[in-house]
Amino acid sequence: MRQFIIIGHEVPTTPDFSLDDTAGGAGRLDVLCRCVTGAFLLSHSIRSDVRCRVVLSDSYTIRFEGSELRGLHPDERSTAARIKSTLEHRDRAIGHMEANPSPGVYLSRVGVETTLTNAAEEGTVIELHEDGQPIGASDLPTDPVFVLSDHRDFTETEATLLSETATQRVRLGPRRLHADQAITVAHHCLDTNGYTEF
């Protein structure tokens, strides 16, 4: 299974935001929506072997399961609407017990540290960072968990947690990419076995 963890630093943790302003008033929720669709969507199909976690302001984590997801569309607005409706069920997320408001979507009251710890038990954590080793020169595991940030850099606390959790720090190319673009490039690298099979 491939996994992605996207850390959102300014995203609201309540559903009180407008779907008409996901790039401003909703703390760049547009970035996270593009990451979710980039993690799962193919042309006319969905990647069922992918898990994606979105951490909201170090307070909540939304987990998306490709094998269970239904009705995921490529537009940002419908993904933002799904996140908004998921947050409407936040009272059902008690401790580490998840709420499951729709097929393949789970909400828990955990932040970055617990999310990384849980992911490390399921796969090999890899930090995506422009100062990392080139991905083509890296031996990628069969169960990668790629961790990336939204439009902000990792905080000092997050960087420390990643240094303790991640086994590799990998860069995807010579230039900085948007988070959703990074997910697409990581998928392509894995799909082509490090750009050796097409």
Side-chain angles (χ1 to χ4, degrees):
M1 173 177 282
R2 301 174 189 179
Q3 298 191 52
F4 296 92
I5 297 173
I6 305 100
I7 300 174
H9 294 98
E10 301 170 4
V11 182
T13 56
T14 65
D16 307 322
F17 58 85
S18 171
L19 295 177
D20 296 324
D21 191 21
T22 57
R28 296 309 310 266
L29 180 60
D30 61 320
V31 174
L32 303 185
C33 292
R34 288 194 298 272
C35 287
V36 170
T37 56
F40 292 105
L41 293 183
L42 295 164
S43 181
H44 304 293
S45 64
I46 192 168
R47 293 180 185 268
S48 61
D49 62 341
V50 170
R51 174 176 297 143
C52 180
R53 291 179 171 97
V54 178
V55 183
L56 308 178
S57 300
D58 202 23
S59 299
Y60 290 91
T61 295
I62 301 177
R63 176 170 60 92
F64 298 87
E65 293 288 341
S67 59
E68 303 170 29
L69 274 176
R70 302 292 178 267
L72 184 66
H73 301 290
D75 63 294
E76 291 172 22
R77 186 182 180 89
S78 67
T79 304
R82 186 169 293 202
I83 290 173
K84 183 180 177 88
S85 65
T86 298
L87 287 171
E88 290 172 355
H89 295 85
R90 64 194 184 285
D91 291 341
R92 295 189 200 170
I94 303 168
H96 291 193
M97 187 174 69
E98 296 175 310
N100 180 205
S102 63
V105 182
Y106 300 84
L107 175 68
S108 58
R109 289 179 183 264
V110 298
V112 175
E113 183 172 8
T114 301
T115 298
L116 287 175
T117 300
N118 292 342
E121 294 173 356
E122 302 166 355
T124 305
V125 177
I126 299 171
E127 177 185 357
L128 290 182
H129 196 282
E130 66 264 21
D131 294 331
Q133 180 181 16
I135 194 166
S138 304
D139 292 324
L140 294 178
T142 57
D143 57 351
V145 181
F146 294 105
V147 183
L148 56 161
S149 186
D150 57 4
H151 64 298
R152 301 271 184 212
D153 289 335
F154 293 117
T155 66
E156 286 187 24
T157 300
E158 291 161 359
T160 299
L161 288 170
L162 280 166
S163 70
E164 297 168 352
T165 311
T167 60
Q168 297 180 56
R169 182 187 246 197
V170 170
R171 77 170 182 264
L172 299 172
R175 306 185 75 173
R176 294 181 75 169
L177 301 173
H178 285 219
D180 58 303
Q181 295 169 336
I183 289 172
T184 300
V185 172
H187 269 315
H188 183 65
C189 182
L190 293 171
D191 289 345
T192 60
N193 192 24
Y195 310 115
T196 62
E197 300 173 7
F198 286 85

